[in-house]
Amino acid sequence: MPATPPPVATLSWTDARRIALHAQGIGGSRRTAVASPARSREALAATLARTQLLQIDSVSVFARAHHLPAFTRHGSWDTRVLDRAAAPGAGSRLREAFAHEAAYVDEDVFALLAFRRRRVAEQDWGAVRRAAERSGHLLEDVAALLAEHGPLSAAAISRHLGDEQRGEGWGWRRTESQWVIEYLFRSGALDCVGRSPQFERLYLPAGDLTAAALADTAGPGPDPAPAIRELVRRAARAHGVADLATLADHFRLRVGEARPAVQELLAEGELEPVAVAHPRGELAMLRHRDAPEPAPLRAAALVSPFDPIAFHRPRLAALYDVDYRIGIYTPAAERTTGYYALPFLHGDRFPLRVDLRADRARGVLEVRGVHAEPLPHLGPRLRTPQGAVLEALAGELSRAARWQGLEGIEVARGSGGGELAAPLAELLAARAG
């Protein structure tokens, strides 16, 4: 008779959340005063060891998305250490790559993603070749410009080439040469060596920018399976407990190519299947063998919507009961919680989201909205009293303001500010008094 498979371990919904948060480095002490460069480097390194990447976003209405994960885990830190770590030279530790969208990664992860750069080259080379044919010596001209002027943005290269014709419509309206630059970066022919004051990528060649060299890049490469397996393994450690779709999404892998890696890790015992007891029924997930224990968390932290805790929206809904849609990609008339609302973590739950804006000219952190999460499956028994949540939020806002070099906090009470704006304003006024 065939052997009976071992029973699948069961986790409570609460324990699954706690495991996931501890795996991400949540729950430790956090600084209020900005840390020294040395301590900030430690915070950055510890954050990357947990997250494996820092997703990059240009929006700086409060703080850039790649600066927030270290703040969420370690409190106030000197973000300039990230700029130095990503700059070329002796102190370089990070590279910009397409991991989970554009992200900062270390050299090991950058090397693991080589198969993706080759895949981009293979898929897109035909279009770039045709563009180069239409534009004569486009590739040679780009190489000559970068050799003469040093690092340049795609927009600057386009201006030097006299290429000003953009596509129709809204969104990513680029010139033909800008699309070619994007291809050259994604395929690994150009390196990003920093950002301009306008937060544009600055490029230098990573190798030979000739048609023959690029055609070779687009050819067949090594079997990507070992790299995919290692990326899935790293994602599994980062999340502690997660489903297949979440593990694939971490590095934007296809579910079909991540599945064999998961099967190997299951066979080797690095992953085990678990059933998470959710009010609407069991959730089938995978737990890493080194996943932390589900100890209670004393956490109160703002979280970027581009943090690995939150960026796979189906997992955010399944584990944390939060249906999140970011306002920056939503037409203004359809926004319900503001332009850039940050989830607020309290313990192992997200009871609020807070729309913030740093008015640096006035030195004020503006709270444009405070919105209670519906948390439809959590139930009143598991919810923290509103007063305790607002007290924790007030403390976190004070820390956030100090981190950003702002002296005051103002809460907007007008239309669209949410039902909790007024009580938060009263609480902050009482604390100040």
Side-chain angles (χ1 to χ4, degrees):
M1 294 180 62
T4 303
V8 174
T10 299
L11 293 175
S12 72
W13 193 23
T14 298
D15 282 353
R17 290 195 302 274
R18 290 173 176 174
I19 290 170
L21 290 167
H22 280 299
Q24 278 288 304
I26 300 296
S29 61
R30 297 171 67 231
R31 298 180 182 88
T32 296
V34 176
S36 67
R39 294 293 187 188
S40 296
R41 284 191 291 272
E42 291 173 3
L44 177 61
T47 299
L48 274 164
R50 298 285 191 167
T51 64
Q52 296 293 308
L53 53 82
L54 295 173
Q55 185 172 338
I56 299 168
D57 191 72
S58 62
V59 177
S60 58
V61 63
F62 164 58
R64 297 197 192 276
H66 43 283
H67 291 160
L68 269 164
F71 174 72
T72 298
R73 290 156 180 78
H74 301 282
S76 300
W77 68 295
D78 185 346
T79 61
R80 292 174 296 181
V81 305
L82 175 55
D83 300 331
R84 289 192 285 270
S92 179
R93 297 290 182 271
L94 302 177
R95 302 282 292 273
E96 184 169 335
F98 277 83
H100 184 96
E101 301 301 326
Y104 290 119
V105 298
D106 66 17
E107 291 287 352
D108 290 342
V109 171
F110 187 84
L112 289 169
L113 292 167
F115 77 93
R116 175 173 293 158
R117 294 188 290 276
R118 184 170 287 275
R119 182 182 290 168
V120 167
E122 193 172 86
Q123 292 172 346
D124 296 347
W125 165 240
V128 173
R129 185 181 66 249
R130 290 190 293 274
E133 289 168 353
R134 287 193 299 271
S135 304
H137 300 285
L138 176 59
L139 298 177
E140 291 85 348
D141 290 344
V142 170
L145 278 171
L146 293 175
E148 179 182 355
H149 297 283
L152 291 174
S153 69
I157 292 170
S158 189
R159 286 193 297 272
H160 278 291
L161 295 173
D163 182 10
E164 304 291 341
Q165 187 64 41
R166 299 177 182 272
E168 299 295 328
W170 69 282
W172 297 110
R173 295 174 60 246
R174 292 181 171 130
T175 66
E176 187 169 80
S177 57
Q178 284 177 309
W179 283 115
V180 170
I181 296 300
E182 183 74 8
Y183 160 82
L184 293 173
F185 170 61
R186 289 184 181 231
S187 64
L190 288 179
D191 267 341
C192 173
V193 295
R195 294 273 182 161
S196 73
Q198 294 75 38
F199 208 67
E200 300 170 303
R201 287 193 198 100
L202 299 175
Y203 299 102
L204 280 177
D208 189 4
L209 288 187
T210 63
L214 294 177
D216 180 64
T217 302
D223 178 10
I228 291 171
R229 182 185 182 281
E230 177 61 16
L231 290 170
V232 171
R233 188 186 71 81
R234 288 172 178 246
R237 285 181 61 93
H239 288 289
V241 60
D243 59 10
L244 170 62
T246 298
L247 299 185
D249 181 74
H250 193 86
F251 290 106
R252 285 289 199 254
L253 302 171
R254 301 164 184 162
V255 170
E257 65 188 359
R259 185 177 283 111
V262 166
Q263 293 302 323
E264 289 181 19
L265 294 170
L266 282 166
E268 295 167 7
E270 189 159 355
L271 293 179
E272 67 164 331
V274 294
V276 176
H278 190 279
R280 68 167 186 257
E282 285 189 346
L283 305 175
M285 292 196 174
L286 302 156
R287 177 169 57 185
H288 193 271
R289 68 185 174 199
D290 296 331
E293 292 298 313
L297 295 99
R298 297 186 62 186
L302 295 163
V303 177
S304 165
F306 301 115
D307 190 296
I309 297 168
F311 61 33
H312 189 48
R313 305 297 193 241
R315 183 174 190 263
L316 188 63
L319 271 189
Y320 302 102
D321 218 20
V322 172
D323 181 14
Y324 185 90
R325 183 182 182 189
I326 192 166
I328 59 177
Y329 303 131
T330 306
E334 299 176 22
R335 293 175 192 149
T336 57
T337 58
Y339 179 72
Y340 195 76
L342 303 178
F344 175 64
L345 177 67
H346 187 251
D348 56 55
R349 301 156 206 152
F350 286 100
L352 308 173
R353 66 182 74 173
V354 190
D355 188 26
L356 298 178
R357 177 181 179 271
D359 186 335
R360 304 187 193 284
R362 295 193 301 131
V364 169
L365 178 61
E366 296 180 354
V367 183
R368 296 187 157 192
V370 188
H371 305 270
E373 291 289 354
L375 304 176
H377 299 98
L378 200 59
R381 186 177 63 84
L382 296 177
R383 295 178 188 233
T384 306
Q386 184 184 102
V389 173
L390 290 178
E391 282 280 0
L393 175 61
E396 177 67 348
L397 292 174
S398 296
R399 179 183 289 111
R402 186 167 177 181
W403 175 47
Q404 290 296 302
L406 306 171
E407 297 178 358
I409 303 171
E410 290 182 0
V411 182
R413 303 198 198 198
S415 174
E419 66 277 21
L420 298 179
L424 175 66
E426 292 168 5
L427 174 60
L428 289 171
R431 287 167 64 112

